[in-house]
Amino acid sequence: MTKPMPPVAARKPHSATFHDIRREDPYHWLRAHNWQEVMQKPETLDAEIRDYLEAENAYFEAEFGKPTEALQETLYKEIRGRIKEDDSGIPSPDGPFAYNSRMLEGKQYPQIVRTAREGGPETVLLDCNVEAGEDYFGFAGAEHDRSHRYLAWAADRAGSEYYDIVIRDLDTGKDSAEVITETAGSYVWSNDSSAIYYTEYDDNHRPYRVRLHTIGTDQASDPIIFEEADPGFFVGVGRTLSDRFIVIDAHDHQTSECWLIDAETGGAPRLVAPRLTDREYDIDERDGLLYIRTNADGAEDFKVVTAPVDNPGAENWTDLVPHSQGVLILDTIVIRNHLLRLERHEGLPRIVVRDLRTGKEETVGFDEEAYSLGMSVGYEFDTSVFRLTYSSPTTPSRTYDMDLETGTRTLLKEQEVPSGHNPDDYETRRLFATAPDGELVPVTLLYRKGLVLDGSAPTLLYGYGAYGMSMPAAFSISALSLVDRGFVHATAHIRGGMEKGYRWYVQGRREHKTNTFTDFIAAAEMLIEQGYTARNRIVAQGGSAGGMLMGAVANLRPDLWAGILAQVPFVDVLNTMLDETLPLTPPEWPEWGNPLASAEDYARIAAYAPYEQVAAKPYPPIFALAGLTDPRVTYWEPAKWVARLRATKSGDAPLYLRTNMGAGHGGASGRFDRLKETAMCYAFALNAVGLEGSFPSN
């Protein structure tokens, strides 16, 4: 048989000059000139671009997909076997009803159901499996109105994150003919059930406006309630748990501003506090008092202040929970008599409960070396019960209700693993790697108990490191398929996240961005030094901004890795940050810098951008995944990166690009289809370390 040849992308002249620096970009043509249209109508993609992407897909399928088909199927069945397919959530009471979602055996999508509050037979309000059809179905959730008569639900049919909102009459079970089309997916009911506040995109796919749709009227006449003029700010809409206010928030990654609308009477939005660069705040309300989580006044790790609803400006903010350096306040929830705070202290989460009547505080925490903790409340404000979820890499998720008046903790649900799972068979460790500047980088490990530290174990090392997002030390049913084959599963909590407070985030962005990359490399070297693994036994994995990390560490230390898994990777950083028409570019400038306005930012980004730094060196095996309708990391970023790598790199390590031609940033929409993508990635990892076959030469 003739060995398939890797596609070779055409090189076409294209240059751009900024700050008197001229750069050539021979693969610029892969960026569709009509990308906005392609997001909603993938069939409008230029034929030459489509041919190249499909050629890469065909090459991947011939070289890797088909040869590993049996392995992928085995992995898929293993992972699926750990899912309780006919699983139900936990009912959340609201007035006369309790609402829930459930999954059915063999089905991809949830059902939304309700019962009487006291229990009884379920009524299916929405079956997403019926609504989905055979193509992409991105479900943006469902929200019932206060009268419990109507259900608004939203879905994206292309992966482009344009959502149509449908209104269902729960008495008849039928959807209204009126559909609020092409929204940005954020929406809430008015208190009187007569209208829906929703967000919409501008021409560059940025949520910038809030409109009000009155039921029974033409969407074209929906009045504009709020419009954001700054293209660097995104707009969302929500409500306080007390149901007193609709909340409009405008924000980028470091600055925020909130506006309030009376949820009963409507009217024009009222500003809480004007935006101030690098000041963030979010709000809740209780008895005419706003509770505000903010980093104002140098509160780097955030504090909680209060302000009167009638005079909420920052000059009237009064500290309730003062700032404590090193104790990061991640989230707050206000219920009738209590303030709940989710904090992170010394790298571990905890929940602090404050009785607002007495000021007394209690802390909820756990004793494992590494774990994940979350908190939530349902629909009701007038309650003393909150819900907490706990898991660790070895311990499946457990959900409890805590009654703050009685002090009782009730276990509601423990994640079932139908194929069986014994936590005692596994070990979780929290280690620290020393970065080049002396900082200690936390690394969470999961492996089979009894692992011999002789450097022979393969390792999957995952990282992200951006936007202040922290990677939880949580239970993963899929990771067990690698761990049970002898892998160490490691997560590097690198700078750019907030695992060690807000400072950890600041030290991993803008002028400090390269700390993210060197932290990740330090984590790999620590695992080698301590005998967990060895050079060329580590598969690095990251997606989106973590995909940029993958491209950077591939350029910086290609010798370390057995393979690189880059999922929807943000690798063409310089060109994207220079293109202010793209959806995320102006909002991303505070994170990366603005190379249009600053020669310094331009030079700094160019020095680490993975696409710009591709060189003639022997790269490890690389598998890049993309989504054609992805508005966050556009498909052409991984496509251009792979094209340049293929034309430039030395050595014969395989290089694969797989573009999902019917999905966006999140990959496949159905839960089982997503598992198939995970199985594909794990098959790549197993091949990379030679545990299940080996790669063909490229």
Side-chain angles (χ1 to χ4, degrees), residues 513-514 516-518 520-521 545-558 561 564 566 569-571 573 607-611 613-614 617 619 622 641:
K513 187 62 208 169
T514 55
T516 301
F517 316 142
T518 54
F520 191 82
I521 291 168
M548 181 220 299
L549 168 68
M550 295 299 100
V553 300
N555 287 331
L556 291 168
R557 289 295 304 277
W561 320 111
I564 300 277
F570 178 35
V571 283
V573 187
Y608 70 71
Y611 179 67
Q613 293 301 316
V614 168
K617 61 178 71 172
Y619 285 85
I622 294 175
W641 181 51

Side-chain angles (χ1 to χ4, degrees), residues 155-179:
D156 161 26
R157 303 282 180 172
S160 57
E161 301 178 30
Y162 281 95
Y163 297 94
D164 289 350
I165 300 172
V166 182
I167 300 163
R168 176 163 295 188
D169 186 323
L170 297 179
D171 285 351
T172 65
K174 296 186 181 300
D175 290 331
S176 168
E178 65 178 300
V179 176

Side-chain angles (χ1 to χ4, degrees), residues 284 460 469 508:
D284 215 328
L460 186 136
M469 293 179 61

Side-chain angles (χ1 to χ4, degrees), residues 14-25 28 31 572-582 585 589 594-606 612 640:
H14 178 84
S15 65
T17 301
F18 296 93
H19 308 293
D20 297 323
I21 300 171
R22 177 186 173 97
R23 288 184 180 272
E24 302 293 331
D25 187 3
H28 175 81
R31 177 194 185 279
D572 195 13
V573 187
L574 182 63
N575 288 314
T576 293
M577 289 297 101
L578 287 167
D579 188 346
E580 58 190 330
T581 70
L582 293 177
T585 293
W589 284 333
N594 182 350
L596 279 171
S598 166
E600 181 181 356
D601 288 355
Y602 181 97
R604 184 178 63 250
I605 295 171
E612 302 298 331
K640 289 172 60 179

